[in-house]
Amino acid sequence: MSKVLDYINNNWKKTVRFNQKDEDSLIGLPFPYTVPCAKGMFNEIYYWDTFFTNKGLIACEMVDLAKNNCKNMLYLVDKFGYMPNGNRTWYIGGSQPPYLALMVYDVYLKDGDLEFLLNAYKTLNKEYDFWMTKRVSANGLNHYSTDRTDEQCVEMFKGLSQRINPIGKEDPARAGRHYYAECESGWDFSARFSGKCCDYNPIDLNSNLYRYELIFAEIERLLKISDGKEWQFKADSRKEKMLEFMWDEDACVFADYNYVTGERSKLKSCAGFWPFFNGVADDCHKSGLTILLDALETEYGLLTAEKTKEDFQWGYPNCWAPCTFACVVALQRYGLIEDGKRIALKYIELIDRNFERTGGLWEKYNAINGTIEVFNEYDMPEMMGWTAGTYAYLKKEIGLKGR
């Protein structure tokens, strides 16, 4: 076992919190849960972070803790009608990329608890309804936004316009709404949406919701609720729309689609791996994986996106755990096994090398020079969370145990 895996196994419990009652801004949760950082910042449960954390917990045979994370999120969905960004009052009004159905199904596959699956399915339908009512575009695909007031959006604009370039001549309330939407995307901030996140159908969001529809179809068959055909039809319809609007035939990549202008983003980013990660793509699109690797792979790992004139933390030269995870799973899913192992090994070696230097795991890394000299929106924290989760998963599940 590697030094890093030993460190992870010895430190998971330091990330566990348990508070059943509301305390100031913190929203109480009924079960123990994990937070991204053992100390310092990010001491709440976060939505999409926890998917990757759970992958590591399950790989480390801590299924009960992964299940408790799911139960807490289901509790929050029942309470608010959606899963907030995290269990803080200031996160009310926005969500994050939807992964809860994937997390629930992962747990079910490990423990076979049909009662848990049934109860979760009822709640997951509420979350799906949130995306299909409050975050749906006229074309039937989904986008990010916020439920916050214009006044709150103006305050967001004032707070960010000094460090994120203002969006043309757009009014402050509208600009702040775009900023909040980009926070909901999890990619806060990036060049993906040209500062107008509300106007885009993101490829990763819609890929995840496609996966929800497939999982719901499978759950209905498992629980003998129905034959699952209604959900399969919804998944097929979403896939058809994604291929129409998001597949760039000339560039041979999936791209975020601006449903206001009718244009696709030209930026190549790791988000392009998500249609492969979730199985939206057909074999005829497989060349898109190679094109993305050619654009984003470096000696040390994966760039989040191509270099742009402006610097963003979800961009060049940063390497993030969720992007690596999605890439490796996507490559393996489409038969590019050795490519997947190569990317996984680069990430493992990147973490190992920096652990030797610093004694910690970090939120993100530099894919150009292999260090922790990254572009930040804030002081970068030491992180268990998705860094530990991705590392543990890759070491234990991708055939790299002896590397």
Side-chain angles (χ1 to χ4, degrees):
M1 189 177 293
S2 73
K3 290 181 181 178
V4 173
L5 210 49
D6 281 338
Y7 175 85
I8 289 170
N9 280 309
N10 291 333
N11 282 277
W12 275 128
K13 290 185 178 179
K14 292 182 181 178
T15 69
V16 177
R17 305 289 182 268
F18 189 30
N19 58 289
Q20 293 181 299
K21 295 182 179 180
D22 296 346
E23 299 174 7
D24 298 321
S25 64
L26 192 66
I27 300 168
L29 297 174
F31 303 98
Y33 57 93
T34 61
V35 301
C37 300
K39 58 183 178 180
M41 64 193 305
F42 299 145
N43 263 277
E44 306 82 25
I45 195 170
Y46 283 87
Y47 190 4
W48 79 309
D49 299 58
T50 309
F51 170 76
F52 303 95
T53 301
N54 266 17
K55 286 290 189 179
L57 291 172
I58 290 171
C60 293
E61 300 180 1
M62 301 179 73
V63 179
D64 287 346
L65 186 51
K67 190 172 190 175
N68 281 341
N69 282 336
C70 292
K71 287 179 176 179
N72 284 316
M73 290 185 176
L74 292 165
Y75 167 82
L76 288 169
V77 172
D78 277 330
K79 184 179 180 73
F80 296 108
Y82 63 96
M83 174 59 203
N85 182 320
N87 63 320
R88 290 280 184 186
T89 54
W90 57 65
Y91 288 135
I92 303 304
S95 187
Q96 274 195 326
Y99 282 91
L100 187 50
L102 285 68
M103 294 165 63
V104 163
Y105 203 68
D106 280 346
V107 168
Y108 162 73
L109 290 176
K110 293 301 290 187
D111 72 3
D113 187 344
L114 286 172
E115 183 178 359
F116 165 72
L117 190 64
L118 174 60
N119 291 332
Y121 175 62
K122 295 173 183 177
T123 300
L124 288 168
N125 270 270
K126 298 178 184 178
E127 187 198 15
Y128 182 82
D129 287 345
F130 163 80
W131 290 102
M132 296 308 297
T133 55
K134 295 197 171 185
R135 301 289 190 268
V136 68
S137 312
N139 62 14
L141 294 173
N142 296 84
H143 60 259
Y144 293 111
S145 186
T146 182
D147 297 332
R148 295 172 176 89
T149 65
D150 283 350
E151 290 77 11
Q152 289 173 305
C153 291
V154 170
E155 289 304 309
M156 179 63 145
F157 171 77
K158 290 177 180 177
L160 284 180
S161 60
Q162 297 305 310
R163 59 189 178 97
I164 306 293
N165 283 345
I167 308 164
K169 296 181 179 179
E170 193 141 24
D171 74 271
R174 179 64 177 165
R177 197 163 295 279
H178 285 306
Y179 288 150
Y180 267 126
E182 201 154 342
C183 289
E184 188 170 77
S185 80
W187 287 53
D188 47 338
F189 291 91
S190 76
R192 282 179 60 188
F193 309 114
S194 303
K196 295 193 175 184
C197 187
C198 293
D199 296 349
Y200 278 84
N201 298 136
I203 40 182
D204 43 356
L205 169 61
N206 284 278
S207 296
N208 278 20
L209 289 172
Y210 170 81
R211 187 77 168 274
Y212 265 55
E213 289 153 354
L214 291 182
I215 288 172
F216 287 174
E218 181 62 20
I219 289 174
E220 290 202 346
R221 289 190 290 267
L222 278 169
L223 299 176
K224 296 181 171 52
I225 295 171
S226 77
D227 57 11
K229 288 184 178 179
E230 184 177 346
W231 285 112
Q232 184 65 54
F233 176 78
K234 290 180 180 180
D236 293 342
S237 297
R238 182 182 298 276
K239 176 176 177 174
E240 184 178 344
K241 291 171 185 174
M242 289 183 69
L243 294 179
E244 176 184 356
F245 295 116
M246 296 177 169
W247 175 249
D248 188 324
E249 192 69 42
D250 295 330
C252 290
V253 293
F254 285 92
D256 299 311
Y257 177 70
N258 188 317
Y259 63 88
V260 176
T261 66
E263 298 174 341
R264 297 185 191 94
S265 171
K266 300 301 181 184
L267 180 74
K268 290 185 179 71
S269 79
C270 282
F273 290 116
W274 260 260
F276 299 95
F277 167 68
N278 282 312
V280 178
D282 294 320
D283 283 344
C284 63
H285 305 117
K286 194 162 72 171
S287 61
L289 285 168
T290 303
I291 288 169
L292 283 176
L293 284 181
D294 288 344
L296 301 175
E297 184 180 357
T298 72
E299 177 184 355
Y300 299 105
L302 282 179
L303 295 165
T304 307
E306 297 175 302
K307 188 173 178 60
T308 56
K309 291 181 180 179
E310 295 177 6
D311 293 322
F312 297 95
Q313 71 169 0
W314 284 90
Y316 183 100
N318 294 354
C319 171
W320 289 83
C323 296
T324 300
F325 183 97
C327 172
V328 172
V329 172
L331 290 168
Q332 297 222 327
R333 182 168 193 157
Y334 285 80
L336 302 175
I337 306 300
E338 292 307 312
D339 289 321
K341 286 186 176 181
R342 184 182 70 254
I343 298 299
L345 186 57
K346 284 186 177 185
Y347 187 76
I348 285 168
E349 291 178 343
L350 180 64
I351 305 307
D352 285 344
R353 186 166 48 252
N354 282 282
F355 183 80
E356 286 289 338
R357 294 172 182 167
T358 68
L361 304 181
W362 299 90
E363 184 189 51
K364 49 192 178 286
Y365 295 82
N366 186 313
I368 296 298
N369 63 23
T371 70
I372 57 171
E373 297 167 1
V374 295
F375 185 83
N376 284 318
E377 292 288 345
Y378 40 75
D379 291 337
M380 184 170 66
E382 287 190 51
M383 177 168 287
M384 284 284 290
W386 57 26
T387 301
T390 296
Y391 183 97
Y393 177 86
L394 296 180
K395 286 286 285 189
K396 294 196 170 204
E397 305 295 337
I398 307 297
L400 300 169
K401 298 176 184 178
R403 306 298 285 270

